């Protein structure tokens, strides 16, 4: 496939906060910068695509979602597809998604109940990880099996005592073994400061529920502490809110819960990649060498959005070189999805805008 040059847009990238162009080649981002630079390298071997002012951002990733059947998975994936997601983590008691039974182009990571570790010889080869609940706390000794198979380990608990038991067991592992299982907690609504600090010290990612009204207080404290976080993590319940609506909930929450749009967006993109144990620092970003996983959105207005109390940390000054995201307020229309590209391939039947291709 010929290299594709996207022009006249707004590209959300740490490489250049004012980028308007992106070059994609062989399924990867090859270059990000200004239109003038892109046009200077454009030749007949490349395909140019006029964005018409569209916003280009990394695709969202769903941190954790509970599914009980193939039908559940299909319904969820359909929603995610329409919301600009490129990857989903599905949590299930049964491995019914072998050979991509859900029939989706999105990347699917399956997490099975920790009971699967009881029979290591029968562990499916296609699973990403396992998750512990209160019902499987008695099997925490099986963390060593997860280490041997290099499976991501998640804890999906409803009580602080269960979280503490999980973290205590994780802390007993050798540091290299902890690295191999990339431990995470998912479905968090509320978490005490001492548990947040313990999780941070053990490099455990904290996954907060998509119910931001319930999870926002603990999430904002976790973020302030420097803990790694994800947003939209619902391993035991139905996901309530997706994508930009979830970012909006975080930005427009009461003062003690609100976080910047940038922090919320990263918790829905780069943060989930890290929680999945992806070692590449490029994952979840639009930078040269990263997989070309991005969505194009038609937007009304772009800006830097941050709670007043955090302006010192998330400056709105252009000199801070903070990339712009859609304005998310009640008087501004939500972004409209135009296209999604996964590893350089455009998904079909997404959006209503036809891009101009030369």
């Amino acid at each position: 496939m010929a290299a594709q040059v996207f022009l006249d847009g707004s590209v959300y990238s740490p490489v250049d906060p004012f980028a308007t162009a992106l070059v994609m080649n062989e399924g990867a981002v090859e270059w990000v910068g200004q239109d003038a630079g892109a046009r200077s390298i454009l030749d007949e071997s490349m395909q140019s695509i006029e964005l018409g002012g569209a916003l280009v951002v990394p695709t969202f990733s769903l941190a954790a979602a509970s599914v009980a059947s193939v039908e559940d998975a299909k319904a969820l994936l359909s929603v995610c597809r329409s919301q600009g997601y490129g990857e989903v983590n599905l949590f299930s008691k049964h491995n019914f998604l072998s050979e991509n039974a859900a029939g989706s182009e999105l990347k699917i990571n399956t997490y099975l109940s920790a009971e699967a570790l009881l029979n290591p010889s029968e562990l499916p080869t296609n699973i990403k990880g396992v998750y512990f609940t209160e019902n499987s706390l008695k099997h925490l000794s099986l963390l060593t099996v997860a280490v041997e198979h290099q499976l991501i380990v998640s804890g999906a608990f409803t009580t602080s005592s269960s979280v503490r038991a999980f973290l205590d067991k994780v802390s007993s592992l050798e540091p290299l073994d902890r690295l191999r299982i990339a431990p995470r907690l998912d479905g968090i609504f509320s978490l005490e400061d001492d548990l947040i600090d313990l999780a941070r010290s053990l490099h455990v990612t904290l996954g907060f529920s998509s119910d931001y009204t319930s999870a926002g207080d603990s999430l904002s404290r976790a973020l302030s502490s420097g803990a790694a976080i994800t947003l939209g993590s619902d391993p035991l319940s139905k996901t309530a809110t997706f994508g930009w609506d979830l970012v909006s909930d975080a930005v427009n929450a009461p003062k003690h819960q609100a976080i910047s749009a940038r922090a919320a967006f990263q918790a829905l993109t780069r943060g989930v990649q890290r929680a999945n144990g992806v070692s590449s620092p490029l994952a979840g970003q639009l930078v040269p060498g990263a997989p070309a996983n991005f969505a194009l959105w038609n937007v009304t207005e772009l800006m830097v959005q941050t709670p007043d109390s955090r302006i010192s940390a998330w400056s709105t000054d252009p000199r801070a070189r903070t990339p712009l995201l859609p304005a998310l307020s009640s008087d501004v229309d939500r972004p409209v999805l135009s296209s999604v590209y996964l590893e350089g391939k455009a998904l079909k039947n997404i959006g209503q805008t036809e891009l101009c291709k030369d």
Side-chain angles (χ1 to χ4, degrees), residues 51-62:
L51 294 169
L55 173 67
V56 185
V57 296
T59 51
F60 292 118
S61 295
L62 188 62

Side-chain angles (χ1 to χ4, degrees), residues 11-17 19 21-25 27-33 56-58 270 280-294 323:
V11 181
Y12 186 84
S13 172
V15 172
D16 182 350
L22 177 149
V23 177
M24 177 177 71
N25 189 27
V29 176
E30 188 149 309
W31 181 88
V32 174
V56 185
V57 296
R270 188 181 181 190
S280 172
L282 307 181
Q285 303 181 90
L286 296 182
V287 295
N293 299 327
F294 56 86

Side-chain angles (χ1 to χ4, degrees), residues 9-322:
S10 179
V11 181
Y12 186 84
S13 172
V15 172
D16 182 350
F18 309 114
T20 57
L22 177 149
V23 177
M24 177 177 71
N25 189 27
E26 296 184 351
V29 176
E30 188 149 309
W31 181 88
V32 174
Q34 305 289 314
D35 276 8
R39 294 187 190 280
S40 71
I41 64 172
L42 187 61
D43 60 31
E44 294 181 354
S45 69
M46 305 176 184
Q47 180 185 35
S48 65
I49 300 174
E50 295 289 338
L51 294 169
L55 173 67
V56 185
V57 296
T59 51
F60 292 118
S61 295
L62 188 62
S66 173
V67 292
S69 66
V70 172
E71 289 69 29
D72 279 352
K74 286 182 176 179
L76 176 66
L77 290 165
S78 178
V79 173
C80 289
R81 193 178 189 275
S82 69
Q83 296 289 325
Y85 283 75
E87 184 170 349
V88 297
N89 293 329
L90 301 184
F91 283 51
S92 177
K93 293 181 179 179
H94 308 289
N95 185 36
F96 53 78
L97 292 175
S98 60
E99 298 180 0
N100 198 17
S104 174
E105 315 99 316
L106 306 189
K107 182 178 180 181
I108 300 172
N109 300 313
T110 301
Y111 285 72
L112 288 184
S113 176
E115 282 80 2
L117 298 174
L118 290 169
N119 299 299
S121 62
E122 299 179 11
L123 278 170
T125 58
N126 67 312
I127 66 171
K128 183 74 172 181
V130 294
Y131 65 98
F132 288 82
T133 65
E134 267 83 10
N135 291 333
S136 51
L137 270 177
K138 59 182 177 291
H139 299 310
L140 279 176
S141 60
L142 295 175
L143 282 180
T144 55
V145 178
V147 171
E148 292 170 6
H149 290 79
Q150 294 194 29
L151 295 172
I152 306 298
V153 173
S154 167
F157 305 113
T158 59
T159 66
S160 297
S161 60
S162 297
V163 170
R164 191 176 301 278
F166 176 78
L167 292 177
D168 286 345
K169 189 63 178 180
V170 168
S171 69
S172 70
L173 297 176
E174 294 294 328
L176 185 57
D177 288 342
R178 288 203 300 270
L179 181 65
R180 287 170 175 156
I181 63 172
R184 49 189 286 185
L185 288 166
D186 284 289
I188 300 172
F189 289 94
S190 178
L191 200 62
E192 294 88 346
D193 285 343
D194 64 319
L195 291 177
I196 290 174
D197 291 340
L198 178 57
R200 177 180 53 79
S201 69
L202 295 172
H203 303 289
V204 174
T205 300
L206 301 178
F208 290 88
S209 169
S210 61
D211 179 359
Y212 200 85
T213 300
S214 300
D217 182 64
S218 290
L219 184 151
S220 62
R221 287 187 285 108
L223 188 64
S224 296
S225 77
I229 68 167
T230 66
L231 182 56
S233 174
D234 302 288
L236 304 178
S237 60
K238 187 174 181 179
T239 300
T241 313
F242 298 86
W244 295 120
D245 288 334
L246 188 47
V247 176
S248 177
D249 286 352
V251 171
N252 297 306
K255 187 175 181 180
H256 68 285
Q257 294 184 335
I259 63 175
S260 71
R262 180 186 181 187
F265 184 74
Q266 289 185 340
L268 283 161
T269 52
R270 188 181 181 190
V272 181
Q273 297 296 316
R274 289 182 171 182
N276 280 337
V278 178
S279 59
S280 172
L282 307 181
Q285 303 181 90
L286 296 182
V287 295
N293 299 327
F294 56 86
L296 310 183
W297 297 86
N298 295 320
V299 296
T300 302
E301 182 181 349
L302 294 172
M303 64 183 296
V304 173
Q305 295 160 99
T306 174
D308 290 346
S309 63
R310 293 175 172 82
I311 285 180
S312 61
W314 303 102
S315 178
T316 59
D317 191 323
R319 289 172 296 181
R321 296 180 64 81
T322 302

